[in-house]
Amino acid sequence: MTKKDKKSEPENQAKKDFNFNGTWDYSPSPESTSHVKLKERYDLYIDGKFVAPASKKYFKSTNPANEQVLAEVAYANEADVDKAVKAARKAYENVWSKLSAKERGKYIYRIARLMQEKARELAVVETLDAGKTIRESRDVDVPLACNHFFYYAGWADKLEYAFPNRNVSALGVAGQIIPWNFPLLMAAWKIAPALAAGNTVVLKPAETTPLTAMLLAEIIHESGLPAGVVNILTGYGDTGAAIVNHPDINKIAFTGSTNVGKIIQKAVAGTGKKLTLELGGKSANIIFEDAPVDQAVEGIVNGIFFNQGHVCCAGSRLFVQESVAEEVIQKLKDRLDTLYVGDPLDKNTDIGAINSKEQLETIQKYIKIGKDEGASMYESSCEIPEKGYFVRPTLFTDVAQSSRIAQEEIFGPVLTIQTFRTIDEVIQKANNSPYGLAAGVWTDKGSRIFNMTTKLRAGVIWANTYNKFDPTSPFGGYKESGFGREGGLQGLGAYLKIER
Amino acid sequence: MSSYMNRNKTFKNIPDFKLSPAVDKVGVEERVARFQTRSIKNESKVQGLKMVLNMIDLTTLEGKDTPGKVRQMCYKAQHLHDLQEGLPTVAAVCVYPTMVAEAKKALGDSGIKVASVSTAFPSGQSTREIKLLDTRFAVDNGADEIDMVISRGKFLAGDYNFVFDEIAAIKEACGKARLKVIFETGELASLDQVRRASDIAMYAGADFIKTSTGKIQPAATMQVTYTMLCAIKDFYRKTGVKVGMKPAGGISSAKLALHNLVMVKETLGSDWLNNEWFRFGASSLANDVLMQLVKQETGHYQSADYFSID
C-alpha cells in the first residue's frame, strides 16, 4: 500500500494513541524550604504555655515522601488532657465568656491574618509532614484554612442575627479530634466556629501530621489569645480517648474514620455531651451521556486523585452511562498518563506521597482485593520514587456493586468504575451504600441536576464540578458518614445552645 | 503532498454538527488555571522558548503593508537575534495575498514558509467566487499555507452545511498548500460554538484550525485554544488524522506562550510540539521570547531597544 492509499482510508486505521512523554519535560521546580525552621522538639500547648508532657514521652513525625524524621512531638496522656481541660474550663469561666463578642471576633481575625502572613511556611510544613503536594497546600489548604477563620470571625458578634428569635449561648469546653488528611484545614474548621460561638477548645491533631497544628499553636500564642482558650495536645488514639471521656467537656467534634466515630458515639452516649461526627465516605460521581465529557474527566480526576484520594468525600465510585463509557474511560486513561506523581515539594507534582506506611499498606491491600475480585486494573504509566510512600493513580473497571472495592472506603488514589443505563438505576446504586457524604452529577441538563439532588442521599452534591469547599457552605454526611454539619451557619450552630 | 487534496471526501461518517459535545466554561477555566500553575524553569524554559520561536508565524496584516515592510520582516524571520547563537528561525511569515510573491522572494530557500490570509480576510463577507479567486491568487504566487476565515454570519445562523462546503471548496483551491481555518472565536461568543466550528472545519478538510484574525478581541484565549485542542484530540482518535492548531492574536508574552505549550503537551502530547502541528500567530511575541532567552543566559534583562523591530 502506498502512503497515499493509507491516507485515503484514514478511518480504517487503528485508533491512535497519544505520546505524553519525551520531547519537552519540565525541569525540577522544588519549593524552597529555606524559610522554614522546624524545632527539634514540640511540646504541648496548654494554658498559654508550651509545656513538656506529663508522660515525658515524645514520638517522631516523619516526612512520608522520604521517610526522614522532621521533629519529635510530645505524647499527651490522661494527666495532660486533664490539665488542658481544666485550663480550658478556667479560661471559659473567667475570661472568654466575659469578653465582649466584638473582642472575641478581633482575636479570630488576628489569627487569620497571622496565618496569611505565614502562609508559605504553613504550606511547606504541611507538605513536608503530610506528603500532600505543595500546589494543593499552597492553593487550597492554607488559603481555605485562613478563610474559615475570617468567615467565623465575622459571626462572633452577630450570633443573635445568625439565629433570629432564638436565645443562643456557648456550650463551654469543646474537645476536638482531627484527621491527617487536611491537618491545618481541619484544625481551622474546628477551632474557628468554636471560638466565634464563645467556647474554649482542647484540640488533638493526628499522630502522623501534628506539625502545622503546633505552628498554629505558635500563631495563636503570638495573637495574644487569652491563655487556655485554645489548648493543643499531640498524641495517639489514647490521647483522643482521654479527651472524649473527660467528664468536664461539653462538646465533642470528631473527623476521622467511621470505626472510631462509632466508638466515640458509644462513649458519649448518656453523658450530655453534644456530638458531631464527620466520618468516611464512598461517594458516587455520576456521568450522564450529555455531560461535557472533557470537563467531566477533569472532575473525575479531581474527585478521586485530589490529595492522593485521602479525602472523606472523594468521588471514589464512578458511574458512567453506558453509551459514553468507552469514551470516558479512554479519556480518563489518557489523563492519568499526564499526572505527575512524586516529590510533593515540586511545584509541578500532581500527586504526592501517601500519608503513612500504614495507609500505604491499606491501599495496597485493597488493590490486591480488587485484582482478586477479578476487576480490570489500569494504573498510570508514571515512574514513582523508590523511597517514600507512593501509589500510582489506579482505576478499576469491570466492577460490580457487590465488589468490596466498590463498597469499602479505600482512602487512596483508587477509583472504581461502574456503568449504568437509566437514571433510576444510577440513583439506586449511588444510594446503595452505608455512606452518604457527597456525590457529583455531570450533565448538560439543568432539570436533571435538580432531580438528582433531591433523590441522592448525600450531604453535599456537586453539579458539573467536584471537591469544591467554601467556609460559607455546610459540609457533612448521611448514614455512616456521620451527623452534624461543619461550615456555614450550620457549622456555627453546632457550637451553640440554641433555645426559644 | 497530494494526500492533502480533497481529504474531506475520505471521511465516511460526517457527524451531525448540531450534536457536537457540550463544553462547560467553568470547567475549562479551571483546567486552564491548572496549566498556568505549571512552573517552567531552567533547561525546560530555554528549550520551551526556542520551541516557541520556531512555531511563530511572523505576521503583518495591515492596510499600510508595503513590499519594503514585508522584505524587512522576512529578514527578521531568518535572523531573529544574531547576537545569540543557536536560535531557530520562525516557522512562517503571514501576509496578505498581494505580498506573497515579495515574501517568497525574500525568504528564498530558507525553509521558512509563506502563509497568506485569504477569503476576504478578515470579515469573510464576500462571494464564494471571490474567495476562491483570492485563494488561487495567493497559491499561484507561491503561498505554502492559506489562512482562510469562515463565514461567521452563516455559522451563527446555523447554516453549517454552507460553512462546511465553503471550507471544502477552499481546501480544493489550495492545491498542495496547507489550509488553516480561522473561526474568529471572538465573534462566536461561546465555547460550545468554538467546539462546533472545530468539528466542522476538521471534517471539511482543515489542516490547521486557528482561533482568530487578530482584528477582533478577545482573540486566542487559553480557554478557546484548549477547547480546540480537545476537538483535535477527539478527531484524531476517531479518524487517525492529525490536525494542527494555531492560536493567533493576543499572545505577546513568553510566559503565555509557554503556558500554551504546556497545554498542548498535556492535551495532545509530544507529537504536536513542533511547527508542523502547532503555530503561534503573532507580531510582537518573538522579541519578548528573545528577551527571556538572553536573560536566561546572562541573568539580566536587556531593554527592548536591544531587540530589533521589523
Side-chain angles (χ1 to χ4, degrees):
Chain A
M1 219 156 85
T2 66
K3 202 179 167 194
K4 192 186 165 194
D5 289 337
K6 254 187 187 168
K7 273 267 181 180
S8 67
E9 288 292 315
E11 278 161 301
N12 292 345
Q13 292 178 11
K15 294 243 181 341
K16 294 293 179 162
D17 286 321
F18 296 87
N19 170 23
F20 292 109
N21 298 311
T23 307
W24 187 45
D25 293 313
Y26 305 143
S27 305
S29 184
E31 174 72 39
S32 164
T33 56
S34 60
H35 59 292
V36 173
K37 284 195 186 61
L38 282 174
K39 290 181 188 152
E40 277 178 36
R41 177 177 267 200
Y42 286 91
D43 284 317
L44 306 174
Y45 185 59
I46 301 174
D47 205 10
K49 290 182 282 290
F50 290 91
V51 295
S55 69
K56 298 197 169 57
K57 281 196 258 180
Y58 290 82
F59 61 97
K60 294 180 171 66
S61 190
T62 56
N63 178 345
N66 58 21
E67 300 169 53
Q68 280 170 3
V69 175
L70 293 166
E72 278 193 342
V73 184
Y75 189 163
N77 65 11
E78 241 175 274
D80 295 308
V81 169
D82 187 54
K83 200 170 145 190
V85 174
K86 284 197 168 108
R89 175 62 59 192
K90 192 181 76 189
Y92 175 73
E93 301 289 350
N94 300 343
V95 186
W96 199 237
S97 61
K98 302 256 183 336
L99 210 60
S100 77
K102 197 176 78 185
E103 291 302 311
R104 245 183 14 239
K106 278 191 197 168
Y107 281 113
I108 307 171
Y109 276 123
R110 198 176 298 160
I111 293 168
R113 284 197 302 271
L114 285 168
M115 284 173 74
Q116 279 188 324
E117 278 173 29
K118 293 173 204 270
R120 259 188 83 198
E121 185 183 355
L122 289 168
V124 168
V125 174
E126 196 75 308
T127 288
L128 289 172
D129 202 21
K132 67 173 61 205
T133 62
I134 188 72
R135 186 182 61 77
E136 287 175 12
S137 44
R138 177 197 65 202
D139 296 346
V140 182
D141 292 58
V142 173
L144 252 183
C146 298
N147 285 346
H148 268 268
F149 277 99
F150 277 117
Y151 172 73
Y152 281 113
W155 275 125
D157 60 354
K158 303 173 193 71
L159 297 179
E160 56 195 289
Y161 302 99
F163 303 96
N165 301 319
R166 298 286 187 280
N167 286 318
V168 294
S169 52
L171 299 170
V173 178
Q176 307 177 322
I177 299 161
I178 58 172
W180 45 259
N181 57 344
F182 295 94
L184 182 70
L185 180 60
M186 289 299 114
W189 276 33
K190 295 278 184 288
I191 295 175
L195 296 187
N199 305 280
T200 57
V201 165
V202 176
L203 174 114
K204 186 195 94 71
E207 62 267 22
T208 61
T209 55
L211 296 183
T212 44
M214 294 322 294
L215 296 191
L216 180 61
E218 291 176 353
I219 286 170
I220 286 170
H221 192 71
E222 195 183 331
S223 77
L225 188 76
V229 173
V230 172
N231 304 275
I232 298 182
L233 306 178
T234 45
Y236 280 78
D238 55 337
T239 313
I243 294 174
V244 169
N245 293 320
H246 197 287
D248 200 28
I249 281 184
N250 304 94
K251 149 97 188 180
I252 296 290
F254 172 76
T255 299
S257 73
T258 294
N259 281 341
V260 175
K262 286 177 179 173
I263 296 168
I264 291 175
Q265 194 172 0
K266 277 181 197 149
V268 167
T271 61
K273 287 174 191 165
K274 202 168 169 173
L275 179 65
T276 43
L277 297 174
E278 204 269 273
L279 308 175
K282 191 76 182 175
S283 300
N285 204 359
I286 302 165
I287 317 293
F288 286 100
E289 62 182 0
D290 66 337
V293 180
D294 289 299
Q295 287 72 56
V297 166
E298 237 9 77
I300 297 165
V301 167
N302 183 36
I304 183 62
F305 301 123
F306 175 56
N307 199 31
Q308 296 72 248
H310 302 329
V311 185
C312 44
C313 53
S316 50
R317 285 189 297 153
L318 179 66
F319 291 94
V320 190
Q321 199 152 18
E322 263 180 41
S323 50
V324 291
E326 196 188 336
E327 184 188 2
V328 169
I329 292 166
Q330 179 63 60
K331 287 188 172 201
L332 201 49
K333 288 177 177 174
D334 281 347
R335 183 70 180 94
L336 245 57
D337 288 333
T338 60
L339 292 171
Y340 290 82
V341 182
D343 180 9
L345 273 177
D346 194 302
K347 290 175 217 159
N348 290 326
T349 299
D350 297 308
I351 298 182
I354 301 302
N355 187 271
S356 65
K357 194 160 180 245
E358 198 188 353
Q359 187 57 29
L360 179 70
E361 284 162 2
T362 304
I363 295 166
Q364 285 164 343
K365 180 189 84 181
Y366 276 109
I367 289 176
K368 187 174 176 301
I369 290 173
K371 287 190 211 159
D372 291 346
E373 287 180 323
S376 311
M377 187 175 96
Y378 180 86
E379 50 175 12
S380 79
S381 55
C382 64
E383 308 246 329
I384 55 174
E386 278 176 28
K387 227 175 156 41
Y389 316 133
F390 291 92
V391 176
R392 286 191 184 84
T394 304
L395 311 176
F396 279 106
T397 50
D398 302 317
V399 176
Q401 193 72 357
S402 40
S403 310
R404 273 186 73 192
I405 50 167
Q407 293 176 335
E408 297 172 25
E409 184 176 39
I410 300 173
F411 222 60
V414 182
L415 178 68
T416 63
I417 306 176
Q418 300 175 66
T419 58
F420 69 94
R421 296 153 300 171
T422 64
I423 294 195
D424 291 343
E425 179 188 4
V426 77
I427 291 171
Q428 199 180 21
K429 284 185 172 171
N431 285 338
N432 177 216
S433 161
Y435 296 109
L437 192 49
V441 178
W442 296 81
T443 171
D444 214 31
K445 194 166 182 170
S447 59
R448 184 176 295 147
I449 291 171
F450 289 109
N451 180 31
M452 295 293 287
T453 51
T454 58
K455 292 189 176 141
L456 289 171
R457 276 177 292 152
V460 185
I461 297 170
W462 286 290
N464 293 328
T465 188
Y466 207 94
N467 274 342
K468 288 283 171 300
F469 307 97
D470 191 276
T472 63
S473 169
F475 182 91
Y478 281 46
K479 299 185 276 184
E480 286 206 11
S481 293
F483 49 78
R485 294 290 179 267
E486 290 182 298
L489 272 181
Q490 291 82 350
L492 189 65
Y495 285 93
L496 287 167
K497 197 158 119 190
I498 302 172
E499 296 164 309
R500 273 208 181 269
Chain B
M1 288 302 284
S2 58
S3 60
Y4 284 114
M5 286 180 68
N6 300 329
R7 206 193 58 200
N8 51 306
K9 286 182 183 155
T10 67
F11 296 110
K12 280 176 257 161
N13 306 310
I14 306 289
D16 179 350
F17 296 114
K18 287 202 174 73
L19 301 177
S20 273
V23 182
D24 184 73
K25 182 164 168 278
V26 176
V28 169
E29 282 166 0
E30 207 169 291
R31 182 73 184 112
V32 164
R34 256 315 258 285
F35 294 126
Q36 289 169 330
T37 65
R38 289 288 187 221
S39 170
I40 309 299
K41 294 258 151 50
N42 306 321
E43 306 91 77
S44 59
K45 183 166 183 184
V46 172
Q47 194 196 342
L49 291 172
K50 286 184 179 171
M51 267 197 293
V52 170
L53 287 180
N54 193 228
M55 290 167 168
I56 289 176
D57 283 4
L58 204 58
T59 302
T60 184
L61 294 171
E62 293 178 352
K64 62 179 189 279
D65 283 348
T66 56
K69 157 78 189 175
V70 169
R71 278 197 300 274
Q72 287 168 30
M73 191 179 78
C74 289
Y75 187 82
K76 166 95 176 179
Q78 302 166 74
H79 304 271
L80 283 169
H81 194 62
D82 284 344
L83 293 172
Q84 185 87 354
E85 281 180 20
L87 291 183
T89 64
V90 298
V93 297
C94 184
V95 294
Y96 271 112
T98 48
M99 297 294 154
V100 168
E102 193 65 44
K104 199 71 194 164
K105 201 168 88 191
L107 290 169
D109 56 2
S110 65
I112 297 173
K113 304 269 194 276
V114 175
S116 174
V117 296
S118 80
T119 68
F121 179 95
S123 75
Q125 294 285 21
S126 189
T127 63
R128 176 83 46 91
E129 202 177 10
I130 286 171
K131 290 181 185 183
L132 287 169
L133 281 173
D134 198 18
T135 305
R136 284 192 202 109
F137 175 79
V139 172
D140 290 347
N141 275 272
D144 304 293
E145 301 170 357
I146 294 295
D147 290 27
M148 72 169 284
V149 291
I150 63 165
S151 298
R152 280 88 77 191
K154 292 284 186 185
F155 177 84
L156 292 172
D159 198 346
Y160 305 135
N161 287 342
F162 180 94
V163 177
F164 185 99
D165 293 345
E166 187 168 72
I167 295 168
I170 299 293
K171 170 69 189 169
E172 206 174 333
C174 280
K176 60 179 185 164
R178 292 178 87 191
L179 175 65
K180 306 193 194 106
V181 179
I182 305 172
F183 303 150
E184 196 65 298
T185 52
E187 290 186 346
L188 302 190
S190 82
L191 295 179
D192 288 315
Q193 295 282 48
V194 170
R195 171 69 199 219
R196 181 172 293 137
S198 304
D199 290 346
I200 293 171
M202 290 188 294
Y203 277 101
D207 297 300
F208 263 84
I209 50 177
K210 176 176 169 184
T211 59
S212 322
T213 61
K215 308 292 183 194
I216 297 275
Q217 292 299 325
T221 63
M222 283 184 72
Q223 288 81 353
V224 159
T225 303
Y226 176 67
T227 303
M228 291 165 72
L229 291 173
C230 288
I232 291 171
K233 183 172 181 168
D234 289 346
F235 185 74
Y236 182 60
R237 272 246 190 260
K238 284 204 183 83
T239 66
V241 173
K242 273 169 132 177
V243 173
M245 174 70 208
K246 180 177 173 184
I251 301 174
S252 54
S253 81
K255 192 173 182 180
L256 183 54
L258 285 176
H259 285 152
N260 270 270
L261 289 193
V262 165
M263 189 155 68
V264 174
K265 172 184 164 64
E266 296 192 20
T267 310
L268 294 172
S270 309
D271 296 348
W272 267 261
L273 282 177
N274 53 62
N275 67 17
E276 200 183 344
W277 299 110
F278 193 78
R279 297 281 178 84
F280 290 104
S283 49
S284 58
L285 171 62
N287 276 6
D288 192 56
V289 175
L290 292 167
M291 195 185 279
Q292 298 293 335
L293 271 170
V294 171
K295 190 258 173 184
Q296 217 46 35
E297 192 158 296
T298 64
H300 308 286
Y301 279 111
Q302 289 178 315
S303 90
D305 289 341
Y306 288 80
F307 303 93
S308 58
I309 303 167
D310 270 308

